[in-house]
Amino acid sequence: MNIVLEIVKYCIFFRIIWIDLKKRIIPEESFVILLVLGFILAIENTNLEGYYLGICAYSMPMIVLYILEDYFGKTLIGFGDVKLMMGIGGILGYFGVEKIVNFYMILYIFSGIVAFLFLFLKKWKKYEYIPFAPFIIISYVIFEIFGK
């Protein structure tokens, strides 16, 4: 059963990356499937509390960033990125603030380095749209490999 869930999870991740790169949107059905996968894992591990807290805790910094958009008057992230973090938080579950901080450190350092390289190599322009979902998903994979 776990191998099937892993295959489905990574297929959904690939689909999210593909659509975000092509259409600049994260599909709703992918977000719902991630939530369901997290719920199945929570039931399997008898950790429904960790599932709910993971959804809340992992998405909270993104929600703050999304709210700051109004203050700065610039689009920083889309709400699809917030929903993606909710799905990833549900899959990861809550195991303490330290894990969340480690995940966000991986996310921001990795995305900052890649964005700097793409800007330096002139692949992206300074104010061009940069999809954030691929960075979130690759950071999740890195976190799964090294963070646990």
Side-chain angles (χ1 to χ4, degrees):
M1 177 81 168
N2 281 341
I3 190 81
V4 173
L5 294 177
E6 288 292 315
I7 290 171
V8 169
K9 176 176 66 174
Y10 284 104
C11 286
I12 293 299
F13 283 161
F14 181 76
R15 182 175 189 268
I16 289 171
I17 289 172
W18 184 262
I19 292 174
D20 193 32
L21 289 172
K22 296 294 180 190
K23 298 182 180 178
R24 300 179 176 187
I25 192 166
I26 296 174
E28 295 291 328
E29 58 275 4
S30 298
F31 159 69
V32 171
I33 293 171
L34 287 179
L35 284 179
V36 170
L37 286 175
F39 187 70
I40 292 169
L41 290 171
I43 289 173
E44 193 174 278
N45 298 326
T46 62
N47 189 16
L48 287 175
E49 179 182 352
Y51 167 75
Y52 176 73
L53 290 174
I55 289 172
C56 296
Y58 278 90
S59 63
M60 192 56 62
M62 289 289 214
I63 291 172
V64 170
L65 194 57
Y66 188 74
I67 292 170
L68 286 176
E69 288 182 349
D70 287 337
Y71 179 75
F72 290 117
K74 284 187 98 163
T75 301
L76 303 172
I77 61 169
F79 198 70
D81 297 321
V82 176
K83 292 186 292 185
L84 176 59
M85 282 305 298
M86 291 171 77
I88 287 176
I91 290 172
L92 289 173
Y94 180 78
F95 294 102
V97 175
E98 181 182 352
K99 296 280 186 191
I100 297 168
V101 170
N102 288 342
F103 179 83
Y104 272 96
M105 281 181 21
I106 292 169
L107 174 63
Y108 291 138
I109 290 171
F110 171 72
S111 60
I113 290 170
V114 172
F116 177 75
L117 285 174
F118 272 83
L119 287 170
F120 182 74
L121 297 172
K122 304 214 187 295
K123 298 286 184 187
W124 287 334
K125 294 181 179 141
K126 191 171 183 181
Y127 294 107
E128 186 179 4
Y129 172 80
I130 299 173
F132 201 49
F135 295 117
I136 295 171
I137 292 170
I138 294 170
S139 297
Y140 167 80
V141 173
I142 293 169
F143 184 74
E144 279 289 301
I145 294 170
F146 298 110
K148 284 193 172 183

